[in-house]
Amino acid sequence: MSVLNALLIFLISFMLIAILFKMPVSYALGTSSLLVLLYAGIQVTIVPQFSFSGIDSFSFLAIPFYIFAGVIMEYSGISRMLINWIKSFVGRVRGATGLITIFAAFGVLTGSAMATISAIGKMMVPELKKENYPNAYVSALLAATCFLGILIPPSVPGIMYSLASGSKISEIWMATIGPAIIFAVGYCLV
């Protein structure tokens, strides 16, 4: 079977399955892929084998554990202690609550932007609103600072990149520290 035939079968079966059966896109993509494999005469039993071998990596274990660490930080009070510690340094500076948000995002070692914003956002949004920060500024500040969560080691995208490229995870993480500091300084200046 040629590549063009496989693509044509995939697209037609995807459209028919998704529209006629009102199937979610992810299921329609998977079903269409299986139909192409069946049409080509390839054993479908290899799909779970390749799926498992693709995720069977020790480095992938770090990703859910870093997100779990962010949840633990949120519910155990570690994030609150981190914020209070940072507040002891910058508490008297004008705009200190915004700086605390930036430095707390820098200190939360979750490896994920979503885990960083969940660990910090629930505490900092009420504090920022209490200081009469505009809602748009609060949203922009949290969205910008949660990006620091993926630059500061341990970072989940760094793990994914190192696995895809074959590079060392430590080298990837060391390469992101400089940009993280530059971003944090830039956020503080703004």
Side-chain angles (χ1 to χ4, degrees):
M1 172 173 23
S2 70
V3 176
L4 190 58
N5 287 342
L7 180 63
L8 188 64
I9 292 169
F10 175 78
L11 291 176
I12 291 171
S13 64
F14 171 71
M15 295 290 274
L16 290 174
I17 290 170
I19 293 171
L20 291 178
F21 297 115
K22 296 182 182 177
M23 191 179 285
V25 173
S26 58
Y27 295 136
L29 287 171
T31 307
S32 299
S33 300
L34 290 175
L35 286 174
V36 170
L37 290 176
L38 284 172
Y39 183 76
I42 299 173
Q43 291 291 330
V44 183
T45 56
I46 65 168
V47 172
Q49 293 170 352
F50 276 104
S51 299
F52 181 75
S53 67
I55 61 170
D56 187 25
S57 172
F58 186 72
S59 300
F60 275 137
L61 285 176
I63 296 168
F65 286 122
Y66 287 139
I67 294 171
F68 182 62
V71 172
I72 288 175
M73 289 178 77
E74 175 187 351
Y75 288 108
S76 68
I78 295 172
S79 296
R80 173 61 66 191
M81 288 187 283
L82 177 68
I83 289 169
N84 290 337
W85 182 68
I86 295 169
K87 191 182 273 188
S88 69
F89 292 114
V90 295
R92 294 187 182 103
V93 178
R94 184 170 185 243
T97 312
L99 293 174
I100 291 168
T101 305
I102 294 165
F103 290 126
F106 203 86
V108 174
L109 302 175
T110 59
S112 165
M114 300 313 291
T116 301
I117 202 164
S118 70
I120 293 173
K122 287 184 181 178
M123 288 172 291
M124 292 310 298
V125 169
E127 294 289 326
L128 290 164
K129 287 188 177 188
K130 194 187 316 177
E131 301 281 331
N132 295 324
Y133 282 86
N135 287 337
Y137 183 79
V138 171
S139 300
L141 182 64
L142 286 173
T145 55
C146 77
F147 176 68
L148 292 174
I150 62 172
L151 283 179
I152 301 159
S155 77
V156 172
I159 294 170
M160 300 300 289
Y161 179 77
S162 67
L163 288 173
S165 67
S167 304
K168 290 184 179 179
I169 294 175
S170 60
E171 291 175 357
I172 302 298
W173 284 349
M174 291 301 120
T176 61
I177 290 175
I181 292 170
I182 292 170
F183 274 112
V185 169
Y187 294 155
C188 291
L189 292 176
V190 171

